[in-house]
Amino acid sequence: MAAMCVAILSIGSLFESLDVTLAIVAGLVVLLIDTEYGFRPGLAVFLVAGILFLLLPMKTPAVLFLAFGGWYPLVQKKINMLPAIWALLLKFVLFNAVLAALLWLSAFVTGVKDATWVVVLLFVVGNICFYMYDILLDRFLIWYIVKIRPRLRF
C-alpha cells in the first residue's frame, strides 16, 4: 500500500497541477489501511510512503502528503470522537497551523514573501477546500464501508 501511495504521488510529480489532488488521494489509501488494520499500520504506510517519495526528484506532492494529506485521515477519526463544535474547531486550528507553517517554510526556502492579499486569499480558499475535504473523508469512509467492503474478501 505504501508503494501504491508512492505511485499515486509520482503521478502528481509528473503533472504539477495534480500534486495537491493526488496527495489527498494517497491519503485515502492511508485511510483505508487505518480502517481495515488499525492506526499503527496506517501510520506505517504513511511514514514509509513519505520517506520513499522524498527520495524522488519532485518533492511537492511528498511535502503536501507529509504536511497534511497523509496524517490527517488518521487523526480525523480520533478528532471526530470529540463534541462536534470542539472537533470542528480543532480541525480548523490544525489546518491553519499547517498552512501557516508551509507558507513560512516556502518563504524561508525561496526567500520570496507573498503579498498580504495572496496570503489572505490562500487562507480563505484553503479553509473552504479543507472543509470540503473533511466532508469527503467522512463520505468516502461511509461509501467504502457500506458499498465496497462487503464485496471484498479479506
Side-chain angles (χ1 to χ4, degrees):
M1 291 309 238
M4 181 185 289
C5 288
V6 171
I8 291 168
L9 292 170
S10 296
I11 295 169
S13 70
L14 293 174
F15 303 101
E16 290 183 23
S17 61
L18 294 176
D19 53 1
V20 175
T21 304
L22 293 176
I24 289 170
V25 171
L28 293 177
V29 173
V30 173
L31 178 65
L32 293 178
I33 295 299
D34 179 46
T35 302
E36 291 297 334
Y37 301 105
F39 180 79
R40 286 186 180 186
L43 182 64
V45 167
F46 160 67
L47 292 174
V48 169
I51 291 169
L52 285 176
F53 198 76
L54 283 175
L55 300 174
L56 297 175
M58 182 68 179
K59 306 274 191 267
T60 307
V63 169
L64 293 172
F65 179 73
L66 287 171
F68 199 74
W71 64 267
Y72 180 73
L74 294 171
V75 175
Q76 186 216 24
K77 290 169 67 175
K78 308 274 188 216
I79 293 174
N80 283 342
M81 293 179 191
L82 297 172
I85 190 70
W86 291 110
L88 191 63
L89 181 65
L90 181 58
K91 289 175 186 180
F92 278 103
V93 166
L94 281 173
F95 172 74
N96 286 304
V98 168
L99 184 58
L102 285 175
L103 285 173
W104 177 83
L105 182 65
S106 172
F108 179 75
V109 170
T110 63
V112 177
K113 293 191 177 194
D114 293 325
T116 305
W117 68 271
V118 172
V119 173
V120 170
L121 183 64
L122 184 62
F123 272 93
V124 169
V125 172
N127 278 287
I128 292 169
C129 291
F130 167 71
Y131 183 69
M132 291 187 297
Y133 171 59
D134 189 57
I135 292 171
L136 166 83
L137 286 176
D138 290 335
R139 302 254 169 100
F140 177 79
L141 189 59
I142 292 168
W143 173 76
Y144 172 75
I145 290 171
V146 171
K147 298 282 185 179
I148 303 300
R149 188 188 234 177
R151 296 180 184 175
L152 299 176
R153 309 247 192 266
F154 285 118

